[in-house]
């Protein structure tokens, strides 16, 4: 994301960490969902009474027994004297329902991949490379889901580490039948015995999902050098934030940039992966992002949209990746 790279001093500001939620928020509620929520509220009251009974049946004497009795009496009272408490429960149910709708809508047809970062012990890099090369040749053949690409990382929170990308392009349905090296005891044992002794740590382990609506480069496109901008985003960004993100591919097209956008399975993050077909020298070019943005969307549009982005970005982590072909699947 050259919005982030050219103006990193703006987007790198670390803001107070907030709870994380996926971006669609509370959209998609309909009348049938309200009906479900009311029914769930009534069921919830019944469940609370049953919990009190189970506390007695399970032998939870003393405090457990009294808590069950109090819950039962409290719920009977709530039904007649405190209808607002049921409304509060309904609000919680509506929130959970909305989040579940987001999950199904966001991930249902996604193309995904796994990313994993390995931190190699000091003085072990040569031994690590040899062990990983042998492991890859034996257990991670090209053309299989377990095939992976190994990249060296420079800069950012994973500086001098190694990133592995695998299960590339799989849908969630294809993951249902996935049987990779982790299910292969021989492969897992080989990695544990021969590769892991050279590792100081393993981190991330995210599943990333390709977002075509925020990209101008296909997921399958690749280059030997690329840059990651990882934006950590605040809780529940508004629609105007996503409207800004959706305008970026048109700007990238005019500038000649190729960028694929991903969301992550862990913290609420966006990854912008800029492919660099002619190498790092592409980054020497002076940025014309602001001028191009204003040309396409009107004078002052860049400053306005960057202000919206800054209001939701907690951190911008920039990493430079170089594919290590001798360690990757062939």
């Amino acid at each position: 994301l050259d919005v982030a790279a050219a103006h990193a001093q703006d987007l790198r500001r670390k803001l107070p960490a907030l709870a994380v939620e996926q971006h669609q928020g509370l959209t998609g509620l309909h009348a049938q969902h309200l009906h479900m929520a009311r029914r769930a509220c009534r069921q919830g009251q019944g469940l609370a009474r049953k919990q009190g009974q189970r506390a007695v049946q399970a032998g939870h004497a003393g405090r457990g027994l009294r808590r069950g009795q109090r819950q039962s009496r409290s719920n009977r009272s709530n039904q007649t004297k405190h209808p607002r408490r049921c409304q509060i429960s309904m609000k919680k149910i509506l929130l959970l329902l909305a989040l579940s709708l987001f999950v199904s809508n966001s991930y249902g047809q996604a193309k995904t991949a796994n990313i994993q970062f390995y931190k190699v012990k000091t003085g072990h890099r040569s031994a690590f490379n040899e062990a990983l090369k042998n492991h890859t040749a034996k257990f991670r053949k090209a053309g299989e889901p377990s095939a992976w690409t190994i990249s060296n990382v420079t800069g950012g929170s994973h500086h001098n580490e190694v990133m592995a990308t695998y299960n590339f392009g799989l849908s969630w349905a294809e993951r249902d039948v996935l049987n990779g090296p982790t299910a292969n005891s021989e492969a897992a044992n080989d990695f544990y015995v021969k590769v892991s002794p050279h590792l100081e740590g393993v981190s991330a382990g995210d599943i990333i999902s390709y977002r075509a609506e925020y990209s101008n480069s296909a997921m399958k496109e690749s280059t030997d050098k690329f840059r990651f901008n990882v934006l950590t985003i605040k809780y529940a960004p508004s629609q105007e934030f996503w409207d800004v993100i959706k305008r970026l591919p048109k700007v990238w097209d005019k500038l000649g940039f190729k960028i694929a956008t991903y969301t992550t399975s862990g913290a609420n993050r966006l990854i912008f992966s800029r492919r660099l077909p002619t190498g790092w020298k592409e980054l020497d070019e002076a940025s014309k992002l602001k001028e191009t943005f204003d040309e396409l969307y009107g004078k002052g549009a860049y400053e306005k949209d960057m202000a919206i982005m800054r209001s939701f970005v907690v951190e911008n982590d920039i990493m430079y990746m170089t594919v290590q072909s001798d360690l990757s699947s062939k």
Side-chain angles (χ1 to χ4, degrees):
L1 171 66
D2 275 67
V3 168
H7 302 275
Q9 67 272 23
D10 294 325
L11 291 180
R12 273 189 180 182
R13 293 185 308 154
K14 292 189 177 181
L15 304 175
L18 299 174
V20 176
E21 175 182 298
Q22 303 291 358
H23 72 264
Q24 270 82 346
L26 301 179
T27 59
L29 292 176
H30 301 290
Q32 64 267 33
H33 300 144
L34 297 174
H35 171 72
M36 291 166 60
R38 293 188 187 100
R39 182 172 61 186
C41 182
R42 291 193 295 271
Q43 292 173 343
Q45 294 168 346
L47 178 60
R49 289 195 297 273
K50 291 179 181 179
Q51 288 174 338
Q53 295 168 0
R54 283 199 296 269
V56 177
Q57 295 169 357
H60 297 291
R63 185 176 61 182
L65 175 61
R66 290 192 296 274
R67 182 168 59 247
Q69 293 170 334
R70 285 196 301 269
Q71 289 174 340
S72 180
R73 287 195 298 270
S74 174
N75 285 313
R76 286 196 299 269
S77 176
N78 284 343
Q79 293 175 50
T80 57
K81 297 181 181 181
H82 301 288
R84 287 181 58 83
R85 293 184 183 178
C86 184
Q87 294 173 5
I88 294 173
S89 298
M90 286 175 63
K91 290 179 181 178
K92 293 179 180 178
I93 293 168
L94 289 174
L95 176 60
L96 292 173
L97 179 60
L99 292 176
S100 69
L101 287 172
F102 162 74
V103 170
S104 62
N105 290 337
S106 175
Y107 290 125
Q109 301 300 321
K111 290 296 183 181
T112 70
N114 290 69
I115 57 173
Q116 189 87 56
F117 291 92
Y118 298 108
K119 187 174 183 179
V120 182
K121 290 179 180 178
T122 302
H124 285 245
R125 187 55 192 258
S126 295
F128 166 81
N129 284 0
E130 187 63 26
L132 191 64
K133 183 189 299 182
N134 293 335
H135 173 82
T136 299
K138 188 172 183 180
F139 297 106
R140 293 183 177 268
K141 304 290 186 182
E144 299 177 356
S146 60
W148 62 11
T149 299
I150 304 298
S151 304
N152 295 318
V153 184
T154 302
S157 59
H158 295 284
H159 176 66
N160 211 29
E161 295 183 13
V162 171
M163 185 180 78
T165 308
Y166 54 99
N167 293 332
F168 195 80
L170 294 185
S171 69
W172 290 97
E174 289 170 323
R175 285 180 175 275
D176 282 334
V177 295
L178 185 63
N179 184 27
T182 53
N184 183 324
S185 59
E186 184 182 0
N189 185 66
D190 181 82
F191 190 91
Y192 177 76
V193 172
K194 298 179 181 179
V195 181
S196 64
H198 307 295
L199 295 177
E200 184 177 320
V202 180
S203 58
D206 283 326
I207 297 175
I208 59 175
S209 295
Y210 176 68
R211 303 302 298 267
E213 68 271 37
Y214 306 132
S215 305
N216 75 332
S217 180
M219 185 178 187
K220 64 181 180 180
E221 292 182 21
S222 63
T223 55
D224 289 339
K225 294 180 174 65
F226 57 101
R227 185 183 64 202
F228 262 20
N229 282 80
V230 184
L231 303 185
T232 303
I233 305 169
K234 286 183 184 178
Y235 173 88
S238 66
Q239 185 58 46
E240 65 178 352
F241 172 84
W242 298 103
D243 290 341
V244 172
I245 302 301
K246 202 165 187 177
R247 284 195 281 272
L248 293 175
K250 190 174 179 180
V251 180
W252 299 334
D253 280 337
K254 193 168 183 64
L255 290 170
F257 299 160
K258 287 295 185 181
I259 299 177
T261 302
Y262 302 89
T263 50
T264 67
S265 62
N268 198 23
R269 294 189 294 261
L270 279 177
I271 298 177
F272 296 90
S273 177
R274 179 178 171 182
R275 284 73 187 268
L276 300 165
T278 63
W280 302 122
K281 63 184 179 182
E282 292 188 31
L283 302 178
D284 286 332
E285 300 173 9
S287 173
K288 297 180 180 178
L289 185 69
K290 182 179 185 299
E291 296 85 346
T292 306
F293 208 99
D294 285 351
E295 178 185 344
L296 291 171
Y297 298 112
K299 186 177 180 179
Y302 175 81
E303 293 297 342
K304 178 183 176 182
D305 282 2
M306 290 307 98
I308 292 171
M309 284 192 67
R310 285 194 297 269
S311 68
F312 289 101
V313 173
V314 176
E315 184 180 8
N316 177 28
D317 191 9
I318 303 175
M319 293 174 273
Y320 299 87
M321 311 290 195
T322 303
V323 173
Q324 193 163 346
S325 57
D326 60 325
L327 302 183
S328 303
S329 299
K330 298 176 181 62

